[in-house]
């Protein structure tokens, strides 16, 4: 963040100073909500959590070097105190699971105000460009590609992993300082108005909308409602800004009427300004394609896995071109960009030759379809077809569509000719996926339903052989990465598996 005195911060957030001997002392570091991360000159954010209350760690944070604490009550050490606001706890807030009295909401509101002030000063100084990315799937993947293509142009701040909610977004925005040239922000929504709110915290001049899918369908109620919310990003852009829209997704393409900013369409369709043709996948499902842009054409080879990364890469290209990058540098950056965030299409081959596709970070119908296609491409790429395994768990938050969507995935696995679908879990959605596969299949052996992760591991230990390709994917809450990590790290018992190497 920009350097500010405690007095200035109190004014910006509407708080009062407590136990502060010198209001002129400056916060020179970052803002942290984990006291273990506090360094000298930082500001500590006291948030209530499910297990412990940040206010209890205030003294430890100051001891570790924090200049002060941003808190909802006096804490006996220098603090900027904002009043709890019980009326403002958003019902869908994921960041405020332990907030019973509104103190967390007040601290988060103060964080947002502080981030807004900092970003506003940096953009007014003309040194910072803010890029916002939204969509149902691919925000983190695109954010990582964007960080790679923008890096040659100047220092980039982007969130680690998937830090995209009302805590992660302003926290990331506050990491931008006077040296930062690009702030790349992932913007997620669980309900109407969420993207607009994030856009007020750090107003983007470039907005990327990737797709409108079915993630969080349960909370939104319909795809139209999701599209309406995602479109809040392009509505927030200034007329001097740029909207990067996916020409292959009709609901995203239609957002061009909701912005006064210039529009660049990306995709495979003929109408796209930034286009990919001749897409082919290599034996690790890494896409190569010919990139066409108003600045010329060039071959691109991606180092990330899955055809869905083509659209993500095109969006990154459109942003990089807007920011002044040349095509050769963009192509070089893209070919070097690896998955920077964990458990997303992370492809590894064990010493014994089992290829594990760890995509266990999260799942929704679109991303499962993309991953199944990548799995099948990999299994068919060599001279000799390899057996493909899809170990899938429940996709959460699909509301009334849940059973139908799980059934569809089960059927798709069979249609794509996945050798074996292993469905993990006993809930209705898992059973629907298994049942869908059984109905679509011929022999009844296309799918097996196992009750839990332990049973999945036991089955795979028994049956997976050298040469097989195993995809592991489910919603975050299932924790299916245990299966992937077991496959990758387990000691060779029968000489099948051993140490692992990342596939380059
Ligand atoms: N454009 C895309 N279309 C469909 N699936 C995608 C796309 N990009 C990435 N995926 C897949 O979607 C899953 C989530 O990817 P990623 O983490 O990039 O998305 P996200 O939008 O950040 O998700 P979240 O909302 O959980 O933060 C991964 O399995 C990834 O392989
Ligand atoms: Mg994400």
């Amino acid at each position: 963040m920009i350097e500010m005195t405690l007095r200035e911060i109190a004014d910006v957030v509407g708080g009062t100073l407590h136990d502060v001997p010198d209001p002129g002392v400056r916060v020179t570091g970052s803002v942290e909500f984990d006291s273990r991360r506090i360094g000298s000159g930082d500001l500590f954010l006291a948030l209530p959590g499910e297990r412990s209350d940040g206010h209890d760690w205030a003294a430890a944070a100051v001891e570790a070097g924090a200049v002060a604490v941003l808190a909802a009550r006096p804490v006996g050490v220098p603090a900027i105190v904002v009043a709890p606001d019980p009326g403002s706890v958003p019902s869908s807030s994921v960041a405020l699971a332990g907030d019973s009295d509104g103190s967390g909401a007040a601290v988060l509101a103060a964080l947002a105000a502080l981030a807004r002030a900092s970003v506003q000063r940096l953009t007014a100084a003309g040194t910072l460009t803010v890029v916002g990315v939204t969509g149902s799937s691919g925000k983190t993947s695109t954010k990582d590609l964007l960080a790679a293509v923008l890096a040659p142009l100047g220092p980039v701040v982007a969130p680690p992993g998937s830090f995209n909610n009302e805590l992660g977004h302003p926290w990331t925005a506050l990491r931008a300082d006077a040296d930062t040239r690009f702030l790349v922000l992932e913007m997620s929504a669980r309900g109407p108005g969420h993207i607009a709110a994030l856009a007020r915290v750090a107003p983007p001049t470039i907005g990327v909308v990737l797709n409108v899918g079915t993630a969080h369908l349960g909370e939104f109620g319909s795809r139209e409602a999701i599209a309406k919310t995602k479109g809040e990003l392009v509505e927030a852009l200034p007329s001097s800004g740029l909207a990067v829209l996916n020409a292959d997704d009709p609901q995203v393409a239609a957002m061009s009427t909701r912005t006064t900013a210039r529009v660049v369409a990306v995709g495979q369709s003929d109408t796209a300004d930034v286009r990919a043709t001749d897409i082919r996948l290599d034996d690790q499902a890494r896409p190569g394609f010919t990139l066409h842009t108003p600045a010329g054409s060039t071959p691109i080879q991606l180092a990330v896995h899955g055809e869905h990364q083509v659209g993500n890469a095109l969006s990154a290209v459109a942003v990089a071109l807007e920011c002044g990058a040349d095509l050769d540098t963009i192509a070089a950056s893209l070919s070097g960009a690896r998955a920077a965030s964990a458990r997303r299409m992370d492809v590894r081959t064990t010493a014994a030759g089992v290829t594990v596709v760890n995509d266990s970070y999260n799942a929704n119908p679109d991303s499962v379809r993309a991953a199944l296609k990548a799995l099948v491409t990999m299994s068919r790429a060599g001279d000799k077809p390899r057996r493909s395994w899809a170990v899938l768990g429940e996709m959460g938050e699909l509301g009334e569509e849940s059973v139908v969507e799980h059934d569809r995935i089960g059927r798709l696995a069979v249609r794509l000719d996945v050798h074996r679908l292993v469905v993990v879990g006993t809930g209705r959605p898992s059973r629907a996926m298994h049942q869908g596969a059984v109905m679509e299949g011929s022999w009844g052996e296309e799918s097996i339903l196992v009750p839990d992760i332990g049973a999945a591991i036991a089955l795979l230990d028994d049956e997976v052989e050298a040469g097989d390709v195993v995809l592991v994917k489910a919603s975050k809450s299932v924790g299916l990465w245990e299966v992937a990590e077991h496959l990758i790290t387990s000691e060779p018992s029968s000489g099948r598996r051993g140490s692992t190497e990342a596939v380059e």
Side-chain angles (χ1 to χ4, degrees), residues 138-141 162 186 308 312 344 359 361-362 367 473:
K139 295 179 292 297
T140 298
S141 308
S162 196
E186 192 173 326
H308 55 280
N312 299 343
R344 288 168 186 79
D359 201 26
Y361 160 72
N362 214 346
S367 69
K473 189 163 177 69

Side-chain angles (χ1 to χ4, degrees), residues 9-16 80-83:
I9 295 174
D11 287 347
V12 162
V13 305
T16 49
I80 300 150
V81 177
V82 288

Side-chain angles (χ1 to χ4, degrees), residues 39 52 62 82 85 148 165 170 184 193 235 249 339 358 374 376 415 454 479 504:
S52 79
V62 169
V82 288
D85 179 4
N165 61 22
V184 180
E235 284 173 349
D249 183 324
N358 182 0
V376 169
R415 243 176 274 145
E504 295 301 327

Side-chain angles (χ1 to χ4, degrees), residues 238-393:
S239 50
S240 57
L242 181 78
V244 176
L245 298 178
N246 182 355
D248 300 336
D249 183 324
Q251 275 171 307
V252 177
M255 290 176 194
S256 62
T257 58
R258 292 172 62 188
T259 185
T260 57
R262 276 171 298 124
V263 172
V264 166
V266 303
Q268 295 177 44
S269 79
D270 295 345
T271 55
D273 307 297
V274 174
R275 268 177 78 212
T277 61
D278 316 314
I279 298 171
R280 65 220 163 263
L281 300 180
D282 72 4
D283 61 347
Q284 299 293 332
R286 286 169 296 209
F289 58 92
T290 306
L291 170 68
H292 306 276
T293 78
S297 298
T298 188
I300 299 282
Q301 175 60 54
L302 299 180
V304 287
H305 308 261
E307 188 172 343
H308 55 280
Q309 291 284 9
V310 174
N312 299 343
L314 292 175
S315 295
V317 169
V319 175
L321 284 173
E322 171 75 2
C323 295
D326 63 75
L327 270 191
D328 290 345
T329 312
I330 291 173
S333 307
L334 282 178
S335 66
R338 291 170 207 289
S341 302
R343 296 171 181 161
R344 288 168 186 79
M345 293 299 285
D346 180 3
V347 180
R348 282 157 197 269
T349 297
T350 68
V354 175
T355 299
V356 180
V357 183
N358 182 0
D359 201 26
S360 58
Y361 160 72
N362 214 346
N364 63 50
D366 306 300
S367 69
V368 175
R369 277 190 279 276
L372 283 174
K373 285 181 197 155
L375 167 71
V376 169
T377 306
M378 285 185 191
S379 71
R380 292 196 191 133
D383 305 335
K384 199 166 134 256
R386 305 163 70 185
R387 296 197 309 173
S388 54
W389 295 76
V391 185
L392 302 182

Side-chain angles (χ1 to χ4, degrees), residues 75-144:
V75 278
V77 289
I80 300 150
V81 177
V82 288
D85 179 4
S88 69
V89 184
S91 58
S92 61
S93 173
V94 273
L96 291 177
D99 194 21
S100 50
D101 63 356
S103 59
V107 174
L108 273 192
L111 178 73
L114 189 57
R116 181 171 165 75
S118 177
V119 169
Q120 205 211 335
R121 282 201 214 170
L122 294 170
T123 47
T127 53
L128 185 70
T129 298
V130 181
V131 183
V133 182
T134 195
S136 296
S137 308
K139 295 179 292 297
T140 298
S141 308
T142 305
K143 174 265 299 179
D144 290 337

